[in-house]
């Protein structure tokens, strides 16, 4: 199976997940968010991020005034919940590797939320891919080069699309310019959820 769109080396499987599969994942993410509530993190510079985040797995990504890092427990000291099998199934379908991910980041975009261009490079070994699932409202995904400032390409990610950063594109700059609030009926209150899976530790 191969991605249907290539954006500067980032593979995108449009429409990979059926509506029922998307609903099952959202259902499982409700349990994740019950065990590990969404947080609005601060960047190292003290700016609040517009996206709300939580996580699952052995470690999950957090950000505060001390910077970005993977943490084995939530701020409360409680372990992160397990990564749901429905989410692991997506990794198994597209990652192309035998290893299982140890970290799952869950991002919620409400009205007006966006994510600036960034690289995913906090993982211990950057040879493993990152798999990203889009659920809910449409989002304008921008992908640049592995160095800052090069030409970028954009695509609208829709609910059920899956993107993979691997090989030469593993360190490509990428971000979400904006979402089109209310374009999907998947989440009852609108907005978008993005789930990323990684081998972090
Ligand atoms: C998002 N995605 O889709 C933001 N990171 O909301 C990411 O930051 C991302 O799509 C690593 C790999 C794939 C991604
Ligand atoms: Fe990212």
């Amino acid at each position: 199976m191969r991605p249907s769109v290539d954006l500067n080396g980032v593979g995108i499987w449009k429409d990979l997940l059926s509506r029922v599969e998307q609903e099952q994942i959202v259902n499982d993410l409700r349990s994740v968010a019950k065990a590990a509530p969404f947080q609005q993190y601060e960047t190292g510079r003290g700016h609040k991020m517009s996206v709300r985040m939580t996580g699952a797995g052995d470690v999950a990504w957090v950000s505060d005034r001390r910077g970005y890092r993977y943490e084995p427990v939530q701020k409360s000291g409680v372990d992160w919940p397990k990564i749901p099998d429905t989410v692991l199934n997506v990794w198994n379908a597209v990652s192309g590797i035998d290893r299982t991910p140890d970290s799952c980041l869950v991002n919620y975009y409400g009205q007006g939320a966006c994510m600036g261009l960034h690289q995913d490079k906090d993982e211990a070994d950057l040879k493993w891919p990152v798999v990203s699932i889009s659920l809910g409202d449409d989002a304008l995904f921008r992908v640049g080069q592995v160095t800052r400032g090069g030409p970028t390409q954009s695509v609208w990610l829709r609910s059920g699309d899956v993107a993979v950063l691997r090989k030469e594109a593993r360190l490509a700059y990428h971000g979400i310019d904006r979402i089109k609030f209310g374009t999907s009926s998947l989440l009852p209150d609108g907005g978008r959820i993005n789930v990323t899976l990684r081998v972090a530790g």
Side-chain angles (χ1 to χ4, degrees), residues 107 109 115 118 120 130-132 134 141 157 163-165 174-176 192 194 196 198:
N107 295 327
Y109 295 71
M115 189 177 294
H118 65 277
D120 283 38
V130 183
V131 169
S132 145
S134 290
F141 183 53
L157 291 178
V164 182
L165 263 63
H174 59 278
I176 297 290
R192 172 175 185 262
N194 168 254
T196 50
R198 308 136 200 276

Side-chain angles (χ1 to χ4, degrees), residues 3-192:
S4 50
V5 176
D6 180 301
L7 216 59
N8 286 343
V10 174
I12 300 169
W13 276 263
K14 298 295 289 177
D15 270 331
L16 183 73
L17 305 174
S18 70
R19 173 76 183 207
V20 168
E21 289 168 325
Q22 295 170 41
E23 286 168 354
Q24 286 166 341
I25 292 174
V26 169
N27 211 33
D28 288 343
L29 293 176
R30 278 188 225 290
S31 312
V32 167
K34 215 172 255 176
F38 280 98
Q39 308 274 330
Q40 202 171 3
Y41 292 139
E42 274 185 291
T43 66
R45 292 182 176 164
H47 298 294
K48 272 234 150 80
M49 300 179 74
S50 58
V51 174
R52 288 167 197 276
M53 300 184 171
T54 187
D58 296 337
V59 292
W61 190 87
V62 301
S63 176
D64 58 23
R65 295 299 269 274
R66 287 163 47 209
Y68 312 123
R69 62 197 176 275
Y70 282 95
E71 283 281 2
V73 291
Q74 304 175 45
K75 204 155 55 182
S76 61
V78 175
D79 284 354
W80 300 100
K82 270 182 41 148
I83 304 176
D85 287 340
T86 50
V87 172
L88 292 174
N89 288 343
V90 179
W91 170 276
N92 291 335
V94 302
S95 73
I97 62 167
D98 281 339
R99 272 193 80 141
T100 49
D102 59 8
S103 182
C104 173
L105 179 65
V106 185
N107 295 327
Y108 175 74
Y109 295 71
Q111 199 148 23
C114 62
M115 189 177 294
L117 280 179
H118 65 277
Q119 290 174 298
D120 283 38
K121 58 176 183 189
D122 299 323
E123 299 73 32
D125 189 340
L126 298 173
K127 77 167 177 271
W128 306 112
V130 183
V131 169
S132 145
I133 307 168
S134 290
L135 298 164
D137 289 342
D138 299 356
L140 188 56
F141 183 53
R142 180 188 294 273
V143 178
Q145 311 294 318
V146 296
T147 52
R148 196 179 265 290
T152 64
Q153 290 185 300
S154 299
V155 71
W156 283 95
L157 291 178
R158 304 199 61 212
S159 198
D161 292 352
V162 175
V164 182
L165 263 63
R166 61 151 65 102
K167 300 203 172 126
E168 293 73 31
R170 174 64 178 77
L171 287 174
Y173 276 87
H174 59 278
I176 297 290
D177 288 350
R178 62 182 186 276
I179 68 163
K180 252 190 227 163
F181 194 83
T183 41
S184 164
S185 60
L186 185 70
L187 306 176
D189 297 327
R192 172 175 185 262

